[in-house]
């Protein structure tokens, strides 16, 4: 990996690392992705990204869609806000029993407070991805490990979809 790519991947200058098919294929086996609150113009998730015809900040609006929500947030300093939003939206879905499921992809910084205090205690399942993901547009695999977290009523469905992709905790 060249130095420029390495620096970009570990800095917050490039926050958007688009999800590759290697992650989307098992995700889609869970059902259609109804909402992608973190989408950008080069994303291939192909889920709804607008609210009432207006593209909006996914941190400020409801994710309660009664189906699968996929979150690949910016990996910079705002990551904590996206984790908090996942936890809050999952609690609302659970309270309303509306079948909203949230899957979040993120950097597996398992030693951080947000991972240990927010993700692990609230997610129904967490997958530590085996190896390194090569994000769309990257010339080489990332320099950091990745995780996928699931919040929703059917963690077994998540585990079946991602079986063989890493270790579940």
């Amino acid at each position: 990996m060249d130095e420029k790519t390495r620096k970009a991947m570990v800095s917050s200058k490039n926050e958007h690392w688009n999800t590759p098919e290697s992650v989307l294929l098992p995700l889609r086996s869970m059902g259609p992705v109804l909402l992608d609150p973190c989408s950008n113009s080069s994303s291939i998730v192909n889920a709804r990204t607008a609210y009432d015809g207006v593209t909006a900040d996914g941190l400020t609006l409801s994710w309660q869609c009664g189906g699968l929500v996929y979150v690949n947030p910016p990996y910079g300093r705002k990551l904590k806000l996206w984790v908090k939003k996942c936890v809050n939206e999952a609690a609302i879905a659970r309270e309303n029993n509306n079948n909203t499921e949230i899957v979040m992809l993120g950097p597996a910084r398992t030693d951080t407070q947000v991972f240990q205090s927010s993700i692990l205690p609230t997610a129904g399942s967490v997958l530590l991805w085996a190896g390194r993901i090569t994000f769309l547009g990257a010339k080489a695999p990332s320099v950091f490990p990745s995780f996928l977290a699931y919040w929703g009523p059917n963690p077994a469905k998540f585990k079946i979809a991602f079986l063989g992709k890493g270790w579940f905790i």
Side-chain angles (χ1 to χ4, degrees):
M1 174 182 323
D2 64 49
E3 185 64 16
K4 183 178 177 184
T5 301
R6 189 194 69 74
K7 282 185 179 180
M9 292 185 86
V10 296
S11 76
S12 58
K13 289 180 183 177
N14 182 3
E15 294 182 326
H16 300 288
W17 293 102
N18 290 316
T19 309
E21 284 294 340
S22 60
V23 175
L24 293 176
L25 189 62
L27 178 72
R28 289 182 184 126
S29 76
M30 294 175 61
V33 180
L34 299 183
L35 180 63
D36 178 3
C38 302
S39 190
N40 62 62
S41 61
S42 56
S43 172
I44 62 168
V45 174
N46 297 324
R48 186 179 68 157
T49 59
Y51 300 83
D52 297 325
V54 177
T55 301
D57 177 5
L59 281 173
T60 61
L61 298 171
S62 173
W63 297 354
Q64 303 304 306
C65 64
L68 189 56
V69 177
Y70 176 64
V71 182
N72 179 6
Y75 286 10
R77 299 183 196 283
K78 293 181 183 177
L79 185 64
K80 290 179 191 177
L81 299 174
W82 288 98
V83 169
K84 182 177 179 181
K85 180 71 171 176
C86 288
V87 171
N88 290 341
E89 289 291 329
I92 293 167
R94 200 169 36 255
E95 182 179 307
N96 294 328
N97 196 28
N98 67 13
N99 294 318
T100 295
E101 301 174 278
I102 301 167
V103 174
M104 177 186 194
L105 172 65
R109 297 179 182 126
T110 60
D111 60 329
T112 63
Q113 184 172 356
V114 72
F115 196 86
Q116 293 187 12
S117 298
S118 296
I119 295 169
L120 287 178
T122 63
S125 185
V126 176
L127 170 75
L128 299 178
W129 190 269
R132 304 291 168 102
I133 294 175
T134 301
F135 291 90
L136 291 184
K139 294 177 182 165
S142 67
V143 296
F144 51 84
S146 297
F147 77 89
L148 284 129
Y150 173 86
W151 291 269
N154 196 349
K157 180 171 71 169
F158 172 75
K159 288 179 179 179
I160 290 167
F162 286 94
L163 192 63
K165 296 295 185 181
W167 293 96
F168 293 96
I169 53 174

